[in-house]
Every structure is written in C-alpha cells, then in structure tokens.
C-alpha cells in the first residue's frame, strides 16, 4: 500500500489541484476551499504567509503553484500532517519551512503579512458523532472555540503592520462568543464568505444531542426539506 496517493482535488467548478493524501491526514473540505478563495482575494504577490493547521498543505501548495507566495510557511500538531505537507511541498519543488507546532508556539521569532487559520474549530461534543477525528485531533472544547480564541488573542504579535488573518467560523461552534471576543478586544473583522452545507447522515441519529447544543447556542443549524443544514463563514481579522 502506498503511503501517499495522488488525488485530483476539485476546488470549484473551474479549478482543481493535484495533491498527495493519505487516510491519516484530514481531507480537504468546504472550509479549505473557502479559505483558498479568500486567500486569493486578499494576498498580494510576495506576501509572507503562514498556514496554521496545514493538514496536507493544500492551501500553501496551491498558493505556491499559483505564484502568490515564494516560500511555504506552515505548521500542524499532527506528525502525519507535517510529513504529508512536506511531501507535497517537495513534489512541487517549493521552498518551505514546515514544522510541528501547537498554534504559534514554534513561530516565536517570525512575522508574517498574512495568516491563514485552519485549526480545528467545532465543538468537541461532536467528535464521536462526526467520525472526522480518528487521526486528526480536535480538542477545541465544548464550545468549539478554544483554539480560535487563543489564536485571536495572539495573532497580532505575528503579523507585520497592516497584516491580516483569515479564520473560518463553522456552524458547529459558538459563533456568538467568537464575535463577542473580537468586539471586546478591538479586533476588526469582516465577513468575506458564507456557504450552507448539509450535515452528513451520521448526524441524523443524534438529533437530540444536536438540538440540545443548539438550545445552548453552541451550534447553529436548520431543518430544510428533510436535511439538517449548517454553514461555514470566512472572516478577515486585523
């Protein structure tokens, strides 16, 4: 069995990227594609960009291949993710600095023009329901915001003047608390994209849990035409 398998990952209707993946690394999803879309809109050529929670390295490798960046800076807490991301960077003949790091811990002496945050951001109450975290860790707390808040509290120390960060806010975490934190701490923010998506079928047999989390304002979802619909939003913070 091959350690990595080359896949054609469809980013949108008109664009795809060839990427090496394995089962121990979180697969690209809607959040990934929206973060790429936001990055293309904001990043200027020659910007120094850090990708947190890089997984397979798809975002940084895409930006490198499209000549948005000259060097890949990325990190993850998973050894499998780091190895996969490095493998993809090598295949693309990229200059890279990819390291294992919990949040900003191993980036203490760095400054960036732009940060892309793709670290786990859903309530850990849904870990056993989702089946998404067999290999990729998610310890983001019952509200799903522990890492997002920590990153928001520190990111300005790691960006240059006029630097920015993009973050996803997923309907499976407490959006109100994230927005409240930014407003209380004078973090300017702008919503860039919002897209609805249906919860996978394995969630449906846990509807009582979902309703309880919704009642507590931890998650957001609606029932439409027999489907359970939530959303992912992308915010630019500065």
């Amino acid at each position: 069995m091959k350690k990595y398998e080359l896949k054609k990952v469809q980013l949108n209707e008109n664009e795809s990227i060839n990427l090496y993946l394995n089962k121990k690394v979180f697969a690209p999803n809607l959040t990934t594609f929206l973060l790429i879309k936001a990055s293309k809109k904001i990043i200027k050529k020659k910007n120094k960009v850090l990708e947190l929670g890089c997984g397979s390295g798809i975002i940084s490798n895409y930006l490198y291949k499209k000549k948005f960046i000259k060097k890949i800076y990325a990190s993850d807490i998973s050894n499998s993710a780091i190895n996969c991301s490095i493998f993809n960077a090598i295949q693309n003949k990229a200059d890279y600095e990819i390291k294992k790091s919990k949040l900003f811990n191993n980036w203490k002496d760095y400054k960036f023009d732009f940060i892309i945050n793709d670290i786990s951001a859903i309530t850990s109450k849904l870990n056993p329901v989702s089946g998404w975290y067999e290999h990729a860790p998610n310890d983001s707390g019952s509200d799903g915001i522990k890492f997002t808040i920590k990153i928001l509290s520190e990111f300005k120390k790691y960006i240059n003047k006029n630097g920015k960060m993009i973050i996803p806010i997923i309907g499976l975490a407490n959006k109100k608390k994230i927005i409240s934190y930014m407003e209380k701490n004078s973090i300017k923010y702008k919503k860039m994209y919002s897209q609805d998506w249906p919860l996978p079928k394995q969630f449906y047999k846990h509807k009582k849990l979902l309703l309880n989390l919704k009642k507590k304002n931890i998650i957001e979802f609606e029932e439409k035409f027999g489907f359970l619909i939530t959303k992912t939003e992308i915010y630019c913070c500065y």
Side-chain angles (χ1 to χ4, degrees), residues 41-122:
K41 187 172 183 178
I42 299 178
I43 292 175
K44 297 177 181 178
K45 299 288 176 75
K46 299 182 180 180
N47 272 178
K48 187 177 180 181
V49 178
L50 171 64
E51 181 184 1
L52 292 173
C54 60
S56 63
I58 179 172
I59 300 175
S60 292
N61 277 276
Y62 172 87
L63 294 174
Y64 183 84
K65 289 184 73 172
K66 295 296 181 179
K67 302 186 185 304
F68 281 91
I69 58 176
K70 290 187 174 182
K71 181 175 180 177
I72 291 173
Y73 293 91
S75 61
D76 202 290
I77 199 170
S78 161
N79 288 325
S80 296
I82 294 301
N83 292 335
C84 185
S85 188
I86 289 173
F87 187 83
N88 278 306
I90 291 172
Q91 302 313 304
N92 287 316
K93 299 179 180 179
D95 187 11
Y96 67 87
E97 192 166 343
I98 300 171
K99 59 178 75 179
K100 185 174 182 178
S101 180
K102 185 176 181 179
L103 309 182
F104 291 112
N105 285 3
N106 290 325
W107 298 107
K108 294 297 183 184
D109 299 319
Y110 294 75
K111 290 270 191 177
F112 301 93
D113 301 303
F114 194 80
I115 295 170
I116 302 165
N117 172 34
D118 196 15
I119 288 174
S120 299
I122 76 166

Side-chain angles (χ1 to χ4, degrees), residues 22 30 49 66 69 72-73 91 105 178 199 207 218 222 229:
N22 73 18
L30 172 64
V49 178
K66 295 296 181 179
I69 58 176
I72 291 173
Y73 293 91
Q91 302 313 304
N105 285 3
I178 297 172
L199 291 174
K207 194 172 177 181
I218 293 175
E222 297 178 301
I229 307 294

Side-chain angles (χ1 to χ4, degrees), residues 3-235:
K3 187 174 183 180
Y4 301 110
E5 186 175 356
L6 184 62
K7 298 277 190 177
K8 182 178 181 181
V9 181
Q10 199 70 34
L11 304 177
N12 53 53
E13 290 182 0
N14 304 310
E15 200 171 23
S16 63
I17 182 174
N18 290 326
L19 193 75
Y20 287 90
L21 299 170
N22 73 18
K23 293 181 178 180
K24 291 186 177 182
V25 179
F26 208 90
N29 57 20
L30 172 64
T31 302
T32 312
F33 307 145
L34 291 176
L35 287 171
I36 288 175
K37 185 178 180 181
S39 299
K40 289 166 60 179
K41 187 172 183 178
I42 299 178
I43 292 175
K44 297 177 181 178
K45 299 288 176 75
K46 299 182 180 180
N47 272 178
K48 187 177 180 181
V49 178
L50 171 64
E51 181 184 1
L52 292 173
C54 60
S56 63
I58 179 172
I59 300 175
S60 292
N61 277 276
Y62 172 87
L63 294 174
Y64 183 84
K65 289 184 73 172
K66 295 296 181 179
K67 302 186 185 304
F68 281 91
I69 58 176
K70 290 187 174 182
K71 181 175 180 177
I72 291 173
Y73 293 91
S75 61
D76 202 290
I77 199 170
S78 161
N79 288 325
S80 296
I82 294 301
N83 292 335
C84 185
S85 188
I86 289 173
F87 187 83
N88 278 306
I90 291 172
Q91 302 313 304
N92 287 316
K93 299 179 180 179
D95 187 11
Y96 67 87
E97 192 166 343
I98 300 171
K99 59 178 75 179
K100 185 174 182 178
S101 180
K102 185 176 181 179
L103 309 182
F104 291 112
N105 285 3
N106 290 325
W107 298 107
K108 294 297 183 184
D109 299 319
Y110 294 75
K111 290 270 191 177
F112 301 93
D113 301 303
F114 194 80
I115 295 170
I116 302 165
N117 172 34
D118 196 15
I119 288 174
S120 299
I122 76 166
T123 170
S124 55
K125 296 285 188 182
L126 294 178
N127 285 4
V129 174
S130 68
W132 297 333
Y133 297 102
E134 181 181 356
H135 301 291
N138 174 40
D139 182 28
S140 42
S142 60
D143 277 321
I145 66 172
K146 182 172 76 174
F147 299 129
T148 302
I149 295 297
K150 181 67 172 173
I151 289 167
L152 286 169
S153 74
E154 296 183 349
F155 83 98
K156 289 188 178 181
K157 294 186 288 187
Y158 298 93
I159 57 173
N160 294 317
K161 186 179 180 181
N162 299 320
K164 297 177 180 178
M165 178 173 71
I166 53 171
I167 65 169
I169 299 182
I170 300 167
L172 302 180
N174 196 323
K175 172 184 172 180
K176 290 183 179 179
K177 284 190 176 181
I178 297 172
I179 298 298
S180 175
Y181 180 88
M182 290 195 288
E183 291 177 346
K184 287 179 180 177
N185 289 276
S186 301
I187 298 171
K188 296 180 181 178
Y189 64 90
K190 179 181 179 181
K191 183 163 68 175
M192 297 183 67
Y193 300 109
S194 178
Q195 188 164 328
D196 292 346
W197 53 279
L199 291 174
K201 290 296 182 182
Q202 67 261 30
F203 281 76
Y204 287 51
K205 58 185 177 183
H206 300 279
K207 194 172 177 181
K208 185 177 179 180
L209 171 61
L210 296 176
L211 289 170
N212 185 46
L213 292 171
K214 182 178 181 180
K215 185 178 180 180
K216 294 178 178 178
N217 292 317
I218 293 175
I219 68 172
E220 296 179 2
F221 70 92
E222 297 178 301
E223 295 186 63
K224 294 181 179 179
F225 310 111
F227 294 96
L228 303 179
I229 307 294
T230 189
K231 67 177 60 177
T232 295
E233 298 177 336
I234 304 297
Y235 286 77

